[in-house]
Amino acid sequence: MQPRIGVLGGGQLARMMIPPAVNLGITLEVLAEAPGMSAELAAHDVGDYHDLDTVLAFAQTVDVVTFDHEHVPQAILRELVARGIPVHPGPDALLYAQDKLLMRARLSELGLPVPDWASVETSEELGAFLASHGGRAVVKTARGGYDGKGVRVVTAAHEADDWFIALAEDGNGGALLVEELVEFQRELAQLVARRPSGELAVWPVVETVQRGGVCAEVLAPARDSAGNVATMAADIATAIAEGLGVTGVMAVELFQTTDERLLVNELAMRPHNSGHWTIDGSTTSQFEQHLRAVLDLPLGATGTRDDWSVMVNILGGPQTGSIADRYPAALAAHPTVKVHAYGKEPRPGRKVGHVTATGNDLDEVAYQARAAEAFFQG
Ligand code: ADP
């Protein structure tokens, strides 16, 4: 029988699982949020992932359930597990990608390096943290943030009042995460895959460039990372994957501080934007690896095909027409670049695709990727 994987969420991550599923002869089913989503090619079902009956009916048609995002409620996932349906990553691990406060607490317990942090329930508590951290800090909502939404640099305690009010109105109580404003040289991401039976594989650590809180570009591997940085990043990601019992692909977002420490910022327990380069730049893409991992199949090699890969996101996209309208000019000018379009309508700031260039000269590779991406703007 062909293995059947069910993906909750129909965005571009689910979409990019389709080619390796086809190659491996795996049936991919997607529960999309709405018709016309990115993973429409595989989306036989449309329904609300907040609704237990909808998710149950979907899950009963597949061998294993996995995700395009981390927003599926814990209660639903626990019900699937109670009914014997394999869920990867499981709810016990996924919890730490859903709630930044729980994640900070658990990683601190495991002795992993994180920014100085505290859980604050009032602006007085926030004020006390600010006073002990030079009057500047980063406040984050524990749940529901993405692409920099839910993250705020503050210099006065009242600057998070609206979030405290929203938490109080929510009725469930709750707290905000506050942490030191880290002085970093750059941001890195370490991708790892782990099977339920324990086998684990890491890709080379990469450098991520954020603009306005959104990932704009990824350089793989990170420059000057051979040796210490690569080893530290891989060790941290391995410790997290094993410590939290993560199954599937996980991205660990890291800060490399000005004094050469690595601190964990965020966890994503699914394929991640920082790993899109692996489709064209690694022996095994993160999407193929995720499918292999959640089926508990042997993992693929994670080396690079060329010395360098540069991935540039197409953010927003063309103001007139579609991405495909730009293909004749873009593909003619950059025959070595690979273009990936997500089937989404262009809209300011939206991730509608990405391009990847690979080769052995970083300057040339970066030029090719940036110049190709520029064809999809304006
Ligand atoms: P999201 O969940 O929206 O991706 P993150 O926690 O990753 O939010 O934060 C978004 C960006 O904000 C990070 O990529 C980083 O550039 C910046 N940032 C987050 N936390 C800190 C911090 N403690 N110090 C300095 N910059 C930070």
Side-chain angles (χ1 to χ4, degrees), residues 100 140 146-148 151 179-180 182 187 253 255 265-266:
K100 291 179 182 179
K140 302 182 179 184
Y146 67 96
D147 285 349
V151 174
E179 57 191 33
E180 67 174 298
V182 175
E187 295 187 63
E253 296 179 13
F255 297 125
N265 176 32
E266 266 259 80

Side-chain angles (χ1 to χ4, degrees), residues 53-134:
D53 291 337
T54 303
V55 177
L56 260 183
F58 172 77
Q60 276 155 355
T61 67
V62 296
D63 300 320
V64 52
V65 170
T66 189
F67 309 95
D68 165 90
H69 57 69
E70 43 264 314
H71 307 311
V72 182
Q74 279 282 321
I76 291 187
L77 299 178
R78 289 183 188 280
E79 186 60 33
L80 299 187
V81 172
R83 292 176 187 237
I85 298 167
V87 177
H88 293 300
D92 289 339
L94 194 67
L95 184 59
Y96 300 106
Q98 292 179 320
D99 189 307
K100 291 179 182 179
L101 270 172
L102 295 176
M103 181 264 287
R104 283 277 180 267
R106 186 75 186 110
L107 295 191
S108 301
E109 255 172 43
L110 290 170
L112 290 159
V114 293
D116 262 349
W117 67 278
S119 166
V120 290
E121 290 180 20
T122 62
S123 62
E124 288 71 32
E125 289 176 5
L126 176 55
F129 188 93
L130 277 169
S132 60
H133 287 80

Side-chain angles (χ1 to χ4, degrees), residues 7-21 28 30 33 37-40 42 66-71 191 249 251 268-279 285-288 290-291 313 341-344 351 354:
V7 186
L8 298 179
Q12 65 260 28
L13 301 178
R15 178 183 176 99
M16 286 185 272
M17 292 177 202
I18 299 169
L28 199 76
V30 174
E33 292 82 341
M37 295 270 305
S38 214
E40 178 148 37
T66 189
F67 309 95
D68 165 90
H69 57 69
E70 43 264 314
H71 307 311
L191 205 63
V249 164
M269 290 182 199
R270 49 173 168 74
H272 185 249
N273 200 167
S274 65
H276 290 356
W277 68 275
T278 59
I279 301 173
S285 85
Q286 61 167 347
F287 298 99
E288 175 178 343
H290 189 69
L291 303 180
N313 274 333
Y342 304 157
K344 292 159 75 172
K351 289 177 186 169
H354 72 266

Side-chain angles (χ1 to χ4, degrees), residues 203-245:
W203 284 265
V205 67
V206 303
E207 192 171 334
T208 63
V209 180
Q210 325 284 326
R211 292 194 196 107
V214 181
C215 175
E217 212 173 278
V218 172
L219 276 57
R223 288 168 293 176
D224 302 318
S225 62
N228 215 5
V229 174
T231 310
M232 279 197 296
D235 287 352
I236 290 170
T238 300
I240 296 173
E242 289 177 343
L244 304 185

Side-chain angles (χ1 to χ4, degrees), residues 253-304:
E253 296 179 13
L254 297 157
F255 297 125
Q256 184 175 2
T257 64
T258 47
D259 59 355
E260 301 297 345
R261 290 172 302 141
L262 295 188
L263 301 176
V264 177
N265 176 32
E266 266 259 80
L267 306 181
M269 290 182 199
R270 49 173 168 74
H272 185 249
N273 200 167
S274 65
H276 290 356
W277 68 275
T278 59
I279 301 173
D280 303 302
S282 173
T283 306
T284 309
S285 85
Q286 61 167 347
F287 298 99
E288 175 178 343
Q289 198 81 299
H290 189 69
L291 303 180
R292 290 161 77 139
V294 302
L295 287 172
D296 205 12
L297 291 171
L299 301 178
T302 49
T304 57

